[in-house]
Amino acid sequence: MSSWRQRVGAGVAALALAMPGAQPAIAESSGQASDAQAQAGQVSATPQGGYVLKMNGELVLTNVVARDAKTGEVVKGLKQIDFSIYENGKQQHIETFDFESVDQATPLNEATVSGLAVGVSGNGSKAVVVAKPEDLRNHRLIVMFFDLTSMQPEDLDRSVLAAQDFLRTKMQPADLVALVSLGDTLKVDQDFTADKNALINEVGVYNGTEGQGFAAGATANSNQVEDTTGYTPDESEYNDLNTDRELYALRAVSKALEKITEKKSLLYFSGGIQRDGIENEASLRSAINAAVRANLAIYSVDTRGLQAVLPLGDASTGSMRGTGAYSGGALMNNMNANFASQEVMSTLSTDTGGKAFLDSNDFAPAFAQVERDTSAYYAIGFRSTNPARDGKYRKLTIKINRPGIKLEYRPGYYAPADFKHSGHEDRERELEEQLASDLPATDMAVYMDAMYFRLDENRFFVPVSLIVPGSQIPFVKGGDKDKATLDIIGSVIDEAKRPIGHARETVKLNLDPSLQARQKNIEYTTSFNLPPGKYQMKFVVRENQTGRMGSFEAEITLPDMKKSPLKMSSIVLASMKEPSKKQSPLVREGEEYVPNINHVFRQNQHMFLLYEIYNPSREKAAADAARGSKPGIDLLSSLELIQGSTKVYETPLVEAKAINVEGRDAVAIELDVPLTELKPGQYVCQLNVIDDAGGSFAFPRFAVLVKEPAAAGPGTQPAGDAGSSGSAGASAAANP
């Protein structure tokens, strides 16, 4: 369990999201204070005659809407003494108090840039004026965010028409609206402005842009059961297929809006956020925390509208297999898939003080809700009496001393967290605290994948792979080597919240410059032995040059295979194998499969597949079979590569007639797919596995991306020893 190795993997590490002019700094510390969170302090003398500035903490802002409990009307004229605010049950002193109302807004006569962009935006033809902070007082600030990667053309039409109708007929003089879109990049298409015509024209650009999205769009019917256990995109090449991409975009917008102290609303138009593979829950909480700190409420709008979930599926999917249509299983699968695509949107809205609008063809209520929530509110600020910068969630309770008034406000916030340069004991404590923190570290990109292989009926071998892009690691020159030190800590928690697995390693990278590690990926691997069940895994990586941390948190379910007709392991995809003497399911004939967790391959590579089938059915014994002899098995398997609706490649059929993994009653199947003849692009892979003797089968699907060969660079060579403080030595190698 403590055996680790690191590798330099192929691929340039560069985050694809960029906001022109805004410079949101996606990788910056979430603990950085904004203008609205300036710190108060006091000065004291030191024995040496100098002075020390002692900080009291950061200003925490929260907005409160006071309504008459009977009529729902906003109650005006309340004073600071009417409110009491509590953090985790402890009363706090209110330092700032203000009332803002759109009825008191001063009209702005010119287009206004106030936070999303600096200078000229869009195509460079729009003159802009930067507003002063006091000019934004009492204004309603609305960001319309169009996620073009998730919407079908008809969904985009509905959202554009709804937005234009609001701008044309419902937009008030106090409203300032900005437009942001996520396509191949994150773009600010129009900064905050009160110019209706400019906004209507800019929104119209989105209409009919069916070629701009990456995703096919979610539907409520999905009769195919896909296996995505080995699929986690990396930040540069495959992030467009991962939930993290949308979350990073929302976090970037929030960061860019931190400087504006007024309450802000973001209307997020999306066709559903798919949860493909292992999702990084750390990214979700980080996006929510960034929005809360920026005083931004997210209102999610599912642009698919009201959907009919059909028991037999619809024309968007393949024909049904098995008895699912008659047992209700297919309908349940379709409904679960639809709910899952809305889950992240609902969480974003609920936790930021907004609201999710789902399963409705009328988008007007979303605009009305934003206007209702931001027409008048009280802004309350306090400095927490809790000095701990532990990143933990703090619950807020606000009370009023007048009867008959109902308060609406955010339920809490995450405390700040930062890295302290300290001794060994303090650094260990910080790692442990970050592992247990509710607020995940996302200053450094980290990607993880976990797979499983059955050892016996009650135990699984679970290999875990972590990837850190080399661009995230500040290598330093040490002689003729590139050097860096990484601290890695991880835990496995069962459903009863009990820790049942722990990993801790300090890895010292000592790499040859010819490997060009800054342009590739560093991969770390460990493993656990676990019983069947559902587990929460979390890993934290810290580079020890600047102290930046990154984390990845995900769930993994190890199935109870006793009742499964076809008992199958995870599918391992690899682009390289290396010599190994270890006893592991990943080692076949002295070569270990190196998992390719982002599923990105080059045309000059091979795609290797490894998976196992357990307890395959036996054929009927022949009448003349010798006494005591075991009947044989009959397993058939092949791989199809599909692009669009066309099958472009299929491997030769592999047939297994006997067990080839002794002691575990398993058949290990290996496939080798040369990629030379395939064109660059995205493919859907369908693995066909048929137990002909037992009449059972499985057809898992997963996505891969094939790219052109990398540009020729300096020749690679073994990196030499990469020392490690763990119990096992570390090795390094380079992907071609």
Side-chain angles (χ1 to χ4, degrees):
M1 193 159 57
S2 62
S3 176
W4 290 74
R5 63 171 176 268
Q6 69 259 13
R7 295 186 183 84
V8 183
V12 177
L15 194 59
L17 300 183
M19 295 184 66
Q23 298 180 358
I26 291 176
E28 70 183 6
S29 170
S30 61
Q32 183 178 357
S34 66
D35 292 344
Q37 296 162 323
Q39 295 178 322
Q42 59 187 9
V43 179
S44 61
T46 66
Q48 291 77 21
Y51 291 89
V52 176
L53 180 64
K54 296 182 178 179
M55 309 308 290
N56 293 338
E58 296 177 341
L59 185 67
V60 180
L61 287 176
T62 185
N63 303 308
V64 183
V65 179
R67 299 187 186 277
D68 187 286
K70 294 182 179 180
T71 65
E73 295 296 323
V74 174
V75 178
K76 303 179 181 179
L78 298 175
K79 306 297 182 182
Q80 178 175 329
I81 58 174
D82 296 324
F83 293 88
S84 300
I85 188 166
Y86 299 83
E87 179 186 274
N88 289 341
K90 187 174 181 180
Q91 187 169 359
Q92 307 293 313
H93 173 67
I94 297 176
E95 289 205 11
T96 63
F97 183 86
D98 191 20
F99 177 73
E100 298 206 15
S101 172
V102 295
D103 296 334
Q104 304 172 9
T106 302
L108 293 170
N109 299 320
E110 298 179 272
T112 303
V113 175
S114 51
L116 280 181
V118 177
V120 179
S121 63
N123 58 13
S125 61
K126 302 171 186 175
V128 295
V129 177
V130 178
K132 299 176 182 178
E134 57 267 25
D135 294 339
L136 299 176
R137 177 177 168 79
N138 297 316
H139 283 82
R140 184 186 288 119
L141 302 175
I142 303 173
V143 180
M144 294 187 186
F145 188 124
F146 291 83
D147 184 0
L148 305 179
T149 68
S150 66
M151 288 190 280
Q152 291 291 294
E154 59 272 18
D155 301 340
L156 192 55
D157 282 343
R158 283 197 296 268
S159 60
V160 166
L161 290 176
Q164 288 179 327
D165 181 66
F166 166 78
L167 295 170
R168 189 177 293 109
T169 63
K170 302 293 178 61
M171 185 175 173
Q172 303 298 316
D175 293 345
L176 295 175
V177 180
L179 301 177
V180 177
S181 62
L182 177 62
D184 52 353
T185 60
L186 179 61
K187 294 188 293 186
V188 180
D189 299 304
Q190 174 62 59
D191 213 312
F192 285 112
T193 183
D195 189 337
K196 289 187 179 182
N197 292 330
L199 290 166
I200 291 172
N201 292 336
E202 197 65 50
V203 169
V205 174
Y206 304 139
N207 209 8
T209 52
E210 62 269 18
Q212 293 191 17
F214 289 108
T219 64
N221 296 286
S222 177
N223 298 325
Q224 304 291 345
V225 179
E226 300 187 0
D227 180 12
T228 56
T229 54
Y231 164 61
T232 302
D234 74 358
E235 65 164 351
S236 61
E237 296 175 309
Y238 219 26
N239 219 359
D240 51 358
L241 300 179
N242 192 10
T243 304
D244 281 0
R245 188 170 194 268
E246 287 91 343
L247 297 177
Y248 272 123
L250 290 169
R251 180 171 180 254
V253 173
S254 300
K255 285 288 184 181
L257 292 170
E258 273 189 348
K259 65 182 71 175
I260 306 175
T261 59
E262 278 73 22
K263 183 177 181 180
K264 299 164 288 290
S265 305
L266 185 144
L267 279 160
Y268 177 51
F269 296 96
S270 172
I273 300 180
Q274 292 298 306
R275 295 181 64 81
D276 296 320
I278 294 181
E279 301 298 336
N280 193 352
E281 296 175 15
S283 297
L284 175 60
R285 288 211 297 270
S286 179
I288 291 171
N289 179 59
V292 170
R293 293 178 67 86
N295 207 4
L296 177 69
I298 299 176
Y299 296 79
S300 300
V301 181
D302 188 346
T303 58
R304 294 171 295 179
L306 183 62
Q307 300 181 81
V309 181
L310 306 177
L312 299 180
D314 57 25
S316 67
T317 60
S319 59
M320 293 284 295
R321 300 188 181 95
T323 61
Y326 311 103
S327 65
L331 179 61
M332 181 64 69
N333 179 57
N334 294 338
M335 294 183 68
N336 288 341
N338 188 47
F339 294 152
S341 69
Q342 298 174 339
E343 178 187 0
V344 177
M345 298 173 66
S346 297
T347 303
L348 285 168
S349 296
T350 302
D351 290 356
T352 59
K355 184 178 179 181
F357 294 84
L358 313 171
D359 303 320
S360 174
N361 293 328
D362 184 7
F363 299 159
F367 297 96
Q369 187 72 38
V370 170
E371 288 190 319
R372 180 176 183 270
D373 290 349
T374 55
S375 61
Y377 60 91
Y378 296 89
I380 299 177
F382 70 94
R383 300 188 191 278
S384 174
T385 57
N386 183 356
R389 300 175 67 86
D390 52 12
K392 291 189 176 181
Y393 187 77
R394 298 178 181 178
K395 183 180 179 181
L396 293 180
T397 303
I398 302 177
K399 298 181 180 180
I400 190 166
N401 60 10
R402 295 193 184 186
I405 296 179
K406 180 182 178 181
L407 302 182
E408 299 172 0
Y409 55 91
R410 286 194 184 97
Y413 73 103
Y414 288 100
D418 58 15
F419 178 77
K420 301 174 182 178
H421 298 283
S422 53
H424 175 73
E425 291 184 1
D426 287 338
R427 290 193 174 191
E428 287 299 309
R429 175 180 54 80
E430 289 160 12
L431 277 176
E432 293 285 352
E433 287 178 352
Q434 180 55 50
L435 189 65
S437 173
D438 295 329
L439 175 61
T442 56
D443 299 331
M444 182 169 62
V446 176
Y447 299 90
M448 184 187 82
D449 193 15
M451 295 159 281
Y452 59 83
F453 292 84
R454 199 184 75 171
L455 299 178
D456 55 47
E457 288 189 356
N458 297 310
R459 303 297 292 181
F460 284 90
F461 171 77
V462 182
V464 179
S465 295
L466 293 172
I467 278 186
V468 179
S471 61
Q472 301 280 304
I473 303 173
F475 287 94
V476 296
K477 279 291 183 182
D480 59 348
K481 301 291 184 180
D482 287 337
K483 295 185 176 182
T485 302
L486 301 177
D487 281 323
I488 304 167
I489 190 170
S491 66
V492 181
I493 308 295
D494 66 9
E495 288 188 279
K497 305 300 180 183
R498 297 173 300 186
I500 62 170
H502 191 270
R504 172 69 178 93
E505 189 83 10
T506 296
V507 179
K508 296 181 180 179
L509 300 173
N510 192 20
L511 305 178
D512 194 290
S514 64
L515 291 175
Q516 297 181 323
R518 292 177 181 83
Q519 300 179 12
K520 299 180 181 177
N521 294 330
I522 308 296
E523 180 176 346
Y524 309 85
T525 307
T526 189
S527 62
F528 300 92
N529 287 341
L530 302 172
K534 190 175 183 179
Y535 301 96
Q536 190 81 13
M537 286 188 175
K538 182 176 181 180
F539 278 81
V540 177
V541 180
R542 180 180 67 194
E543 53 86 6
N544 280 335
Q545 185 69 21
T546 64
R548 292 188 307 144
M549 293 188 191
S551 58
F552 202 109
E553 185 176 345
E555 290 183 350
I556 181 173
T557 300
L558 305 180
D560 185 352
M561 294 184 173
K562 294 179 181 178
K563 297 182 180 180
S564 300
L566 186 69
K567 304 172 178 61
M568 186 174 174
S569 72
S570 296
I571 304 168
V572 178
L573 270 68
S575 56
M576 65 175 290
K577 296 186 283 187
E578 64 177 20
S580 176
K581 296 181 179 179
K582 294 193 303 184
Q583 297 295 320
S584 165
L586 293 177
V587 178
R588 296 292 299 167
E589 297 181 356
E591 289 189 314
E592 182 173 7
Y593 282 72
V594 180
N596 182 328
I597 73 173
N598 61 349
H599 288 200
V600 179
F601 297 85
R602 301 283 180 178
Q603 286 179 298
N604 57 348
Q605 294 178 327
H606 285 238
M607 181 171 67
F608 303 109
L609 283 80
L610 172 66
Y611 47 98
E612 294 182 349
I613 310 298
Y614 307 104
N615 304 122
S617 301
R618 300 280 177 174
E619 295 181 309
K620 293 183 179 180
D624 57 349
R627 180 176 296 180
S629 63
K630 282 188 175 182
I633 63 174
D634 192 9
L635 282 176
L636 307 173
S637 189
S638 66
L639 179 73
E640 300 177 12
L641 271 69
I642 304 167
Q643 197 166 47
S645 59
T646 305
K647 180 172 70 175
V648 298
Y649 180 86
E650 183 173 7
T651 64
L653 187 67
V654 174
E655 187 171 9
K657 290 293 187 179
I659 298 294
N660 60 7
V661 181
E662 297 299 331
R664 294 196 289 121
D665 196 18
V667 176
I669 299 179
E670 301 175 82
L671 298 179
D672 182 354
V673 182
L675 304 177
T676 308
E677 301 301 323
L678 293 179
K679 296 180 180 179
Q682 179 188 334
Y683 294 86
V684 174
C685 298
Q686 176 172 304
L687 187 64
N688 307 315
V689 183
I690 301 173
D691 185 348
D692 206 31
S696 57
F697 48 82
F699 304 97
R701 286 187 170 193
F702 49 87
V704 299
L705 182 66
V706 177
K707 304 191 72 172
E708 295 179 351
T716 59
Q717 59 185 14
D721 262 330
S724 171
S725 63
S727 60
S731 60
N735 263 340

